[in-house]
């Protein structure tokens, strides 16, 4: 590992700041991005390096990822931050993928177009096989699925989820360590399903998921990279029972804010194919980002209206919203404390293509994610965080009636209490601008 990898916070990040940030309860949503996932790995490493989360992830409720974000979620969930850094700073393209017709690829001067023609004429139905990726995953998680078994053991206090697309049904599925009959082997295959892009990589067959159970006796369905329909897995976090336990959602979207121009004349089939894939992926990511911004704006609006005018005013305001917005809000189960968001969307990371794993480029992306974690956490703390009361520090709120248009962050009153998380979290009200003692005095 490079000696330039920092292991301690910078001078602008104090121990007191880290200690108080560690009182918040976090959830993480990681997009896909292939080799650009080195940025996400660096960011996760940075949160740990700064002391905001510990190796047990005792203040993390959920980590959801798509594609490369799913692998980051797995290693992060196990607290293997050094292995996370080692992998994403040193892995190379041959460690991840191999052309389906390798000899033809070499004879043609490493031109993938003849491989595409051979795949169309003779099969297999993908350009690259992922046996190397499977070997990397098995090396990290154990060939006996030991790492995946550990993730299943964490299910009571930490949800690990992978987004994939069921191609047979045309729907996005969330494959988590909390699926009732999930096994270590199925969790491994779920990770691979989330990572493999159709046409480019071999697809994965899994049992159909229904009512949080795999239909093990039914036919298997073909699954692929969740980024085909969802780049940023926010819904699994915001609509799940553990939502009431979360203070802060950290999002990482690896698509740049704007489409990068290209000078190419696109005379090659592969140039056209790769550019088309990139543009389709960008549009999915942009849609997810817009939705996240919409939700964040609603949360801030709800917080302000309820604090100044009361819950009834928020309910009446929601009645004036367009029907799609009302339908979205109708999923709510009562919002005692809206989330905070810390969003990361880096611009150009210097990585030409997501399926090119070049250590020099990935180390730069990792280091940038590591540095951005420190800078953005410090900025969020100074502008927002220090005025907020984490769930673990605030007393329970006085009884208030839920409104039918509250954004989803807690269970219905008729639902049983969630399992104890072991870290003393509870549902509490947000108190902006007040210290814990001030809140207690007002109670």
């Amino acid at each position: 590992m490079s000696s330039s990898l920092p292991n301690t916070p910078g001078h602008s990040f104090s121990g007191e700041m880290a200690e108080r940030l560690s009182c918040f309860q976090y959830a993480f949503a990681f997009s896909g991005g292939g080799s650009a996932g080195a940025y996400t790995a660096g960011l996760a490493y940075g949160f740990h390096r700064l002391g905001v989360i510990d190796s047990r992830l005792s203040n993390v409720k959920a980590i959801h990822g798509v594609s490369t974000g799913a692998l980051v979620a797995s290693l992060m969930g196990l607290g293997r931050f050094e292995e996370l850094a080692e992998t994403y700073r040193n892995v190379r393209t041959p460690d991840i993928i191999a052309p389906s017709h390798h000899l033809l690829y070499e004879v043609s001067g490493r031109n993938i177009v003849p491989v595409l023609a051979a795949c169309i004429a003779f099969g297999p139905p993908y350009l690259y096989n992922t046996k190397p990726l499977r070997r990397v995953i098995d090396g990290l998680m154990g060939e006996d699925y030991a790492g995946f078994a550990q993730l299943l053991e964490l299910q009571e206090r930490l949800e690990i989820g992978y987004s994939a697309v069921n191609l047979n049904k045309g729907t996005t599925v969330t494959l988590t360590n909390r699926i009732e009959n999930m096994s270590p082997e199925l969790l491994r295959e779920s990770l691979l399903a989330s990572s493999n892009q159709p046409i480019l990589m071999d697809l994965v067959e899994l049992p159909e998921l229904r009512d949080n159970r795999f239909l093990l006796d039914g036919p298997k369905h073909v699954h692929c990279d969740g980024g085909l329909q969802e780049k940023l897995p926010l819904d699994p976090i915001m609509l799940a029972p553990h939502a009431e336990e979360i203070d802060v959602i950290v999002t990482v979207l690896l698509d740049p804010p704007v489409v990068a121009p290209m000078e190419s004349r696109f005379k090659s089939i592969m140039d056209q194919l790769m550019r088309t894939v990139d543009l389709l992926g960008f549009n999915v990511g942009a849609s997810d980002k817009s939705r996240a911004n919409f939700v964040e704006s609603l949360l801030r609006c709800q917080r302000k209206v309820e604090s100044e005018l009361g819950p009834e005013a928020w309910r009446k305001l929601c009645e004036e919203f367009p029907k799609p917005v009302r339908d979205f809000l109708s999923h709510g189960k009562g919002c005692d404390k809206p989330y905070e968001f810390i969003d990361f969307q880096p611009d150009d990371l210097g990585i030409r293509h997501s399926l090119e794993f070049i250590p020099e480029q990935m180390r730069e992306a990792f280091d940038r994610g590591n540095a951005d974690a420190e800078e953005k956490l410090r900025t969020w703390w100074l502008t927002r965080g220090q005025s907020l009361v984490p769930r673990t520090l605030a007393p329970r709120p006085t009884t208030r009636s839920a409104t039918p248009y509250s954004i989803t962050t807690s269970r219905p009153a008729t639902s049983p209490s969630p399992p104890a998380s072991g870290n003393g979290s509870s549902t509490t009200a947000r108190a902006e601008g007040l210290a814990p003692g001030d809140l207690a005095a007002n109670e």
Side-chain angles (χ1 to χ4, degrees):
M1 189 181 301
S2 171
S3 59
S4 64
L5 184 62
N7 291 310
T8 57
H11 295 299
S12 63
F13 204 95
S14 67
E16 180 185 0
M17 189 186 302
E19 183 177 356
R20 294 185 66 183
L21 281 168
S22 69
C23 293
F24 290 98
Q25 302 295 309
Y26 294 89
F28 293 82
F30 297 146
S31 81
S35 54
Y39 177 91
T40 306
L43 181 139
Y45 182 91
F47 268 73
H48 178 251
R49 172 180 63 87
L50 296 167
V52 175
I53 58 176
D54 58 35
S55 295
R56 291 190 68 252
L57 278 74
S58 54
N59 62 336
V60 179
K61 294 300 176 186
I63 313 173
H64 281 257
V66 179
S67 195
T68 191
L71 180 56
V72 175
S74 302
L75 292 174
M76 183 181 177
L78 294 172
R80 297 181 181 175
F81 293 96
E82 294 299 326
E83 290 179 66
L84 186 63
E86 183 70 30
T87 300
Y88 275 91
R89 290 170 64 82
N90 295 289
V91 72
R92 297 176 179 275
T93 303
D95 300 326
I96 304 298
I97 55 175
S100 294
H101 296 271
H102 183 72
L103 182 59
L104 177 60
Y105 178 69
E106 294 294 337
V107 169
S108 63
R110 297 181 173 246
N111 186 348
I112 200 66
V113 175
V115 176
L116 173 62
C119 288
I120 293 173
F122 309 109
Y126 48 83
L127 287 173
Y128 302 95
N129 76 67
T130 53
K131 289 180 181 178
L133 175 61
R134 290 175 180 265
R135 286 194 292 268
V136 168
I137 290 174
D138 289 343
L140 291 168
M141 306 294 284
E143 292 188 10
D144 57 352
Y145 313 121
F148 294 106
Q150 287 179 275
L151 290 178
L152 291 179
E153 292 171 1
L154 295 173
Q155 62 182 257
E156 287 298 320
R157 66 177 180 86
L158 175 63
E159 180 170 285
I160 302 295
Y162 314 136
S163 292
V165 171
N166 181 326
L167 281 180
N168 294 96
K169 299 187 71 174
T171 57
T172 300
V173 295
T174 301
L175 306 165
T176 79
N177 61 340
R178 287 179 172 169
I179 291 174
E180 292 178 14
N181 55 348
M182 178 66 83
S183 68
E185 183 177 2
L186 280 173
L187 195 58
R188 172 187 181 262
E189 293 304 299
S190 298
L191 172 57
L192 285 163
S194 177
S195 304
N196 290 8
Q197 300 177 20
I199 301 176
L200 297 178
M201 304 161 82
D202 45 324
L203 306 182
V204 177
E205 291 189 345
L206 289 169
E208 182 184 354
L209 181 65
R210 188 182 300 173
D211 298 327
N212 202 41
R213 288 183 62 85
F214 284 121
L215 302 183
L216 298 177
D217 296 330
K220 289 190 174 182
H221 288 198
V222 178
H223 292 71
C224 70
D225 190 327
L228 185 65
Q229 290 187 333
E230 177 183 66
K231 279 291 187 77
L232 199 58
L234 274 175
D235 277 2
I237 292 174
M238 296 192 299
L239 302 180
H242 58 241
E244 64 177 8
E245 304 172 6
I246 297 167
D247 291 306
V248 180
I249 298 178
V250 179
T251 69
V252 181
L253 181 59
L254 293 176
D255 288 324
V258 296
V259 178
M262 291 185 67
E263 297 297 330
S264 172
R265 304 305 299 169
F266 302 105
K267 294 183 178 180
S268 159
I269 290 178
M270 287 309 299
D271 283 346
Q272 295 178 33
L273 176 61
M274 293 297 99
R275 184 60 167 173
T276 301
V277 169
D278 287 343
L279 291 176
L280 289 173
F282 174 85
N283 289 332
V284 173
S287 175
D288 288 348
K289 181 65 175 177
S290 296
R291 188 173 185 279
N293 291 339
F294 166 71
V295 172
E296 184 174 10
S297 297
L298 278 178
L299 289 168
R300 293 189 184 279
C301 178
Q302 178 183 1
R303 182 185 304 121
K304 187 172 181 63
V305 170
E306 290 194 344
S307 65
E308 295 183 2
L309 302 175
E312 181 64 18
W314 171 251
R315 187 191 67 78
K316 290 182 177 179
L317 176 62
C318 289
E319 290 176 352
E320 302 300 320
F321 289 162
K323 186 177 184 301
V325 179
R326 294 200 309 273
D327 290 344
F328 169 76
L329 295 177
S330 69
H331 292 289
K333 305 169 185 176
C335 182
D336 287 320
K337 183 176 77 59
Y339 309 114
E340 287 289 319
F341 282 83
I342 304 180
D343 301 318
F344 293 82
Q345 188 178 17
D347 51 16
D348 186 15
L349 290 172
I351 292 177
R352 179 177 174 271
H353 193 273
S354 61
L355 290 182
E356 291 180 344
F357 294 79
I358 302 171
E360 293 75 17
Q361 295 178 359
M362 296 179 68
R363 286 171 191 159
E364 290 184 10
F366 181 98
D367 291 345
R368 183 166 163 192
N370 190 6
D372 283 359
E374 181 168 340
E375 177 59 28
K376 197 127 188 184
L377 274 170
R378 185 183 69 83
T379 301
W380 179 81
W381 171 253
L382 294 175
T383 58
R384 293 285 304 161
Q386 62 183 337
S387 68
L388 306 177
V389 180
R391 294 180 184 276
T392 53
L393 298 183
R396 288 185 177 274
T398 55
T399 302
R400 52 161 281 189
S401 59
T403 66
Y405 295 112
S406 292
I407 297 174
T408 303
T409 62
S410 63
R411 294 171 179 264
T414 56
S415 295
S417 299
S421 62
N423 58 14
S425 72
S426 61
T427 305
T428 59
R430 174 73 70 187
E432 295 196 34
L434 297 177
D438 296 329
L439 180 64
N442 288 337
E443 291 287 305

